[in-house]
Amino acid sequence: MRSKLAKLSLRVFRIRVIGILVSVLSLWIFAQLARRVLQQQTNAFDTAIMLAMRGIHNPLFDQAMMGTTFLGDPTILFIICLVLGVWLYRHHRRSAANTLAIAYLGALLLQFVLKPVFTRERPALWEQFILLRDYSFPSGHALMSLVVYGLISYILTGYFPQRQKLITSITVLLVFAIGFSRVYLGVHWPTDVIAGYAAGAVWLVACILSLRVWQQRRHRHAQVERESVSSRR
């Protein structure tokens, strides 16, 4: 039993180290983008990409992107979190359910806090498919989809380790597709989406590390109880 706990502790340590590195890199990327956006140094880059994106528009792809961006809507993410959270609670995985709830609420709050700080207007290079009036930087869809789908992927790989590569691949493609759809539909600049991913990565790492700590404590508590019962016998 102690060997299992030692392996768990080592895994948590590795996750912490990787998480810290990812967080530092993500914070650096976000800071660099934020500085350049405030100084309007990304305008040429953003405009060039969006105009190139405009060249691939067609009715079929338009509908596909509308459906894809729908998967990153906060309401849809809330429903997904609610359904999965109930399932986790019913299977006695309260730490995972609580972390999922905290991850969603934190990501939602984060975008509401960051957008008014930068007050970047949304693109107006062509008539938008979706009429939005809030600010553009960072992309809330990119931020929230990375956090929610990323954490769900992490939880599911714990239940289905043999499907880890498949689950991770689907998650990466889905999150990328949602970010791509925001630029394609003309509602976000490319740097908005990249910044959303960067900010989301920091919060996702924090949620995963918290979940690992809770799980480690639960395993230690269970071990203490088993050893206590054994000693009484």
Side-chain angles (χ1 to χ4, degrees), residues 37-219:
V37 165
L38 289 174
Q39 296 175 355
Q40 297 185 346
Q41 296 178 352
T42 64
N43 291 351
F45 170 80
D46 283 326
T47 302
I49 292 180
M50 293 201 67
L51 291 178
M53 198 82 72
R54 179 62 172 168
I56 64 173
H57 279 210
N58 65 72
L60 181 60
F61 209 23
D62 293 349
Q63 293 300 316
M65 289 297 98
M66 287 290 289
T68 301
T69 206
F70 185 69
L71 296 175
D73 185 89
T75 303
I76 298 302
L77 294 176
F78 172 77
I79 294 173
I80 293 173
C81 289
L82 181 62
V83 172
L84 181 58
V86 171
W87 183 84
L88 289 169
Y89 257 99
R90 294 186 65 178
H91 287 78
H92 309 289
R93 295 293 186 269
R94 295 186 177 182
S95 58
N98 291 336
T99 303
L100 186 59
I102 293 171
Y104 173 85
L105 293 174
L108 190 64
L109 178 63
L110 191 58
Q111 68 158 331
F112 283 146
V113 170
L114 290 175
K115 284 179 181 288
V117 171
F118 298 97
T119 62
R120 190 186 197 187
E121 297 297 332
R122 292 185 180 270
L125 300 180
W126 61 79
E127 185 177 355
Q128 295 180 355
F129 291 84
I130 306 171
L131 183 60
L132 298 172
R133 300 188 182 279
D134 60 335
Y135 293 117
S136 182
F137 185 93
S139 167
H141 274 61
L143 192 160
M144 294 196 66
S145 63
L146 178 67
V147 172
V148 172
Y149 290 124
L151 184 58
I152 290 175
S153 173
Y154 179 80
I155 293 172
L156 292 180
T157 54
Y159 282 100
F160 310 103
Q162 71 280 8
R163 296 284 186 267
Q164 182 175 0
K165 291 183 179 180
L166 177 61
I167 294 172
T168 302
S169 298
I170 292 175
T171 303
V172 170
L173 289 174
L174 176 59
V175 173
F176 173 79
I178 291 172
F180 180 87
S181 71
R182 303 305 286 173
V183 179
Y184 179 93
L185 295 173
V187 295
H188 274 296
W189 302 101
T191 47
D192 297 340
V193 173
I194 298 173
Y197 287 151
V202 177
W203 181 234
L204 174 61
V205 167
C207 292
I208 290 176
L209 291 179
S210 298
L211 178 57
R212 292 305 304 173
V213 170
W214 287 344
Q215 290 174 336
Q216 189 179 30
R217 288 179 179 176
R218 186 186 63 195
H219 282 293

